[in-house]
Amino acid sequence: MDRRKIAYGLLVLLVGLILWFIPPPAGMDLNGWRLLAIFIAVILGLILRPLPQGAIVIIGVGVSALTGILKIGDALSGFSNSTVWLIFTAYMFARAFLKTRLGERIAYYFIRALGRRTLFLGYSISLTDLVLAPAMPSNTARAGGVIYPIVRSICHAYDSEPGPTAKKVGKFLIFNEYHTTLVTGAMFLTGMAANPLVAQLASQTIKATVTWTNWLIGALLPGIITFLIIPPLIYFITKPEIKVSEEAPKLAREKLKELGPATRQEKILAVIFLIVLALWILGDTIKLDATITALVGLSLMLIFGVLGWEDVLGEKGGWDALIWFGGLVSLATGLNKLGVINWIAEASKGIVSGWEWLAAFVVLAIIYYYVHYLMASMTAHVAAFFPAFAAVMVGVGAPPLFVALVLGYLTNLMAATTHYGTGPSPIYFGSGYLDIKEWWGYGFLISVLYLLLWFGIGLPYWKLLGLW
């Protein structure tokens, strides 16, 4: 282990110990305060990462049980949570799309059909992300694992490399796909790994029931409009030098020829995914839990050989997500049971005391959004800030479901600002097509546009839906 990680680990331990031995503030239970100390140390660990995030969360869960703050059943309760298993099974779908190469095939179909004009080439890549988003909760797997290699191949075909030739098409395609994956992540509960955590914390802290369907319906209008606006906006910002070319469709035809006819596994996966997607959409109507649907989909993939058991065992990202997600749910549930969340909400009401609730909500939401400049993980951001912000918002009169959904959407869009805000950030920034000044400058402008679009279009739309 390098010295920097050792220093970070000691800092996390020191912060936890200092908070542990400070007397609790008036009105807070001692066990609640000490669990909060553990929780804060865990969040700091997720930010600094002296160890992998799953290891940090396991240590936090273990300490909470060892000290008797949580009974062992409560400390492990998060691992039986249905939302934890929803995200795990969604990772299995992501692995299936990668293993069968169905994700690649979908991308090349779009590129072959739309890729002659550079703007439409951007749309074809965006459409691939949109199609894959419901089944791939890891935006890193989706944008980084499936789409990035394709985008990079297209750039190479156009002789557009980092440096003097970046503006040919590369700068546009790289930046467009990065922002597309933020928008598509916001549109689906299973579109980004931290979205189910938002749903779970909302259930625990503000008693809001977020489902796959109401998340999608709430995101539909602002999401589609943003999705349509982003490619031409980034096209205008980056000004690609090549406007029309046959290179991308030619590459797509060659790649599809290499892939050959759709395999049996691809066809079966496509059918299973469509069935699962339909059941997710109809889940509220037919009273079928989203996790049950996901487990049915995983079972069908195993039965028909799309995935083998070794694939399930080898999906490190899914098991890692199950560990850190389940552990965070356990700690958050404990904080709620011990009254910490209510205490924070009551103590924070004075910040917006006397304000009209909608104005208070918008201001707090913007603060929640831009504090992500300090964060390198959406999961850590949600765990650290969502319970407190949501509780304060509901405390001043905002409807719970409205709060949960809007903060969930903003959790995805807030990664517009930096080159470290979410998993795909270092991949796309690291490609070298944009320098840090461009990434931060353009990113800030687009982050403002996201707020204007999602509040400007979203607020009247959400009013029409009866969310507020």
Side-chain angles (χ1 to χ4, degrees):
M1 182 181 292
D2 62 45
R3 292 181 180 180
R4 183 169 58 90
K5 289 190 174 183
I6 292 173
Y8 285 162
L10 291 174
L11 177 60
V12 170
L13 178 62
L14 180 63
V15 169
L17 288 173
I18 290 172
L19 292 173
W20 179 278
F21 289 109
I22 291 175
M28 186 182 291
D29 177 76
L30 177 61
N31 277 345
W33 173 253
R34 288 183 169 175
L35 183 59
L36 182 60
I38 295 170
F39 188 77
I40 291 172
V42 166
I43 299 306
L44 183 60
L46 292 177
I47 295 169
L48 299 178
R49 298 195 179 187
L51 294 171
Q53 59 185 10
I56 291 165
V57 173
I58 280 290
I59 291 169
V61 169
V63 171
S64 71
L66 179 65
T67 55
I69 294 173
L70 294 179
K71 294 179 180 178
I72 186 61
D74 292 331
L76 298 176
S77 63
F79 299 107
S80 65
N81 182 274
S82 64
T83 309
V84 173
W85 287 94
L86 171 63
I87 193 170
F88 173 78
T89 50
Y91 267 90
M92 296 304 125
F93 272 97
R95 187 176 185 90
F97 271 88
L98 288 168
K99 180 183 178 181
T100 63
R101 302 182 73 179
L102 179 59
E104 288 180 56
R105 187 180 296 277
I106 292 169
Y108 288 126
Y109 278 138
F110 281 131
I111 293 166
R112 185 181 66 179
L114 302 173
R116 185 170 178 269
R117 292 187 176 275
T118 299
L119 177 59
F120 289 166
L121 176 58
Y123 271 118
S124 69
I125 295 167
S126 297
L127 284 168
T128 304
D129 198 304
L130 181 66
V131 169
L132 296 179
M136 301 189 80
S138 168
N139 57 11
T140 306
R142 183 171 74 249
V146 175
I147 300 178
Y148 177 75
I150 295 171
V151 173
R152 199 62 186 82
S153 296
I154 294 170
C155 294
H156 181 72
Y158 278 89
D159 193 27
S160 181
E161 301 293 340
T165 59
K167 285 196 69 174
K168 284 187 175 181
V169 296
K171 186 172 291 190
F172 164 65
L173 295 178
I174 288 290
F175 209 48
N176 177 69
E177 168 50 23
Y178 176 72
H179 280 274
T180 290
T181 209
L182 304 184
V183 177
T184 58
M187 292 178 67
F188 303 98
L189 179 61
T190 47
M192 194 270 289
N195 291 351
L197 182 59
V198 169
Q200 187 59 40
L201 293 177
S203 171
Q204 293 171 336
T205 58
I206 56 175
K207 310 304 179 188
T209 302
V210 176
T211 66
W212 202 92
T213 308
N214 63 23
W215 182 293
L216 174 63
I217 292 172
L220 205 55
L221 183 61
I224 288 174
I225 292 174
T226 309
F227 179 86
L228 293 175
I229 286 174
I230 284 300
L233 172 67
I234 294 180
Y235 186 90
F236 174 77
I237 289 173
T238 58
K239 296 180 173 59
E241 295 169 352
I242 296 175
K243 307 293 191 293
V244 181
S245 175
E246 292 292 344
E247 288 300 317
K250 179 183 175 182
L251 175 67
R253 286 191 292 271
E254 291 173 355
K255 291 294 185 180
L256 286 170
K257 188 176 179 180
E258 288 177 17
L259 286 172
T263 64
R264 174 178 176 272
Q265 281 80 7
E266 285 181 87
K267 293 175 182 177
I268 292 172
L269 175 60
V271 171
I272 293 172
F273 175 58
L274 289 174
I275 291 171
V276 168
L277 191 60
L279 292 176
W280 273 340
I281 293 170
L282 297 173
D284 290 353
T285 304
I286 62 178
K287 307 300 181 188
L288 183 63
D289 184 83
T291 304
I292 296 174
T293 297
L295 288 171
V296 168
L298 175 57
S299 300
L300 290 173
M301 287 191 289
L302 290 169
I303 290 168
F304 289 100
V306 176
L307 291 178
W309 187 241
E310 66 279 3
D311 294 311
V312 177
L313 294 177
E315 181 46 54
K316 294 181 180 179
W319 290 109
D320 182 54
L322 186 147
I323 296 297
W324 63 251
F325 194 99
L328 284 176
V329 168
S330 295
L331 295 175
T333 301
L335 289 173
N336 193 46
K337 283 185 177 180
L338 294 172
V340 176
I341 301 301
N342 285 337
W343 185 93
I344 292 172
E346 290 298 321
S348 303
K349 280 184 181 178
I351 299 172
V352 288
S353 178
W355 292 27
E356 194 273 330
W357 77 261
L358 186 57
F361 170 81
V362 171
V363 169
L364 290 170
I366 292 172
I367 295 171
Y368 175 89
Y369 185 77
Y370 280 114
V371 78
H372 196 62
Y373 271 110
L374 305 176
M375 308 295 285
S377 163
M378 290 182 171
T379 304
H381 185 112
V382 170
F385 297 117
F386 179 87
F389 274 83
V392 174
M393 289 168 169
V394 171
V396 298
L401 181 59
F402 172 71
V403 168
L405 291 176
V406 177
L407 288 187
Y409 304 146
L410 294 183
T411 295
N412 290 266
L413 302 172
M414 66 191 179
T417 50
T418 70
H419 62 297
Y420 52 79
T422 185
S425 304
I427 298 172
Y428 280 75
F429 175 74
S431 68
Y433 283 90
L434 291 93
D435 61 33
I436 195 163
K437 181 179 177 181
E438 291 172 319
W439 194 279
W440 279 55
Y442 296 156
F444 175 74
L445 292 175
I446 296 172
S447 76
V448 174
L449 175 68
Y450 287 152
L451 289 176
L452 293 174
L453 286 172
W454 284 72
F455 282 131
I457 297 167
L459 285 174
Y461 173 63
W462 298 323
K463 179 73 170 177
L464 186 65
L465 293 179
L467 290 177
W468 65 278

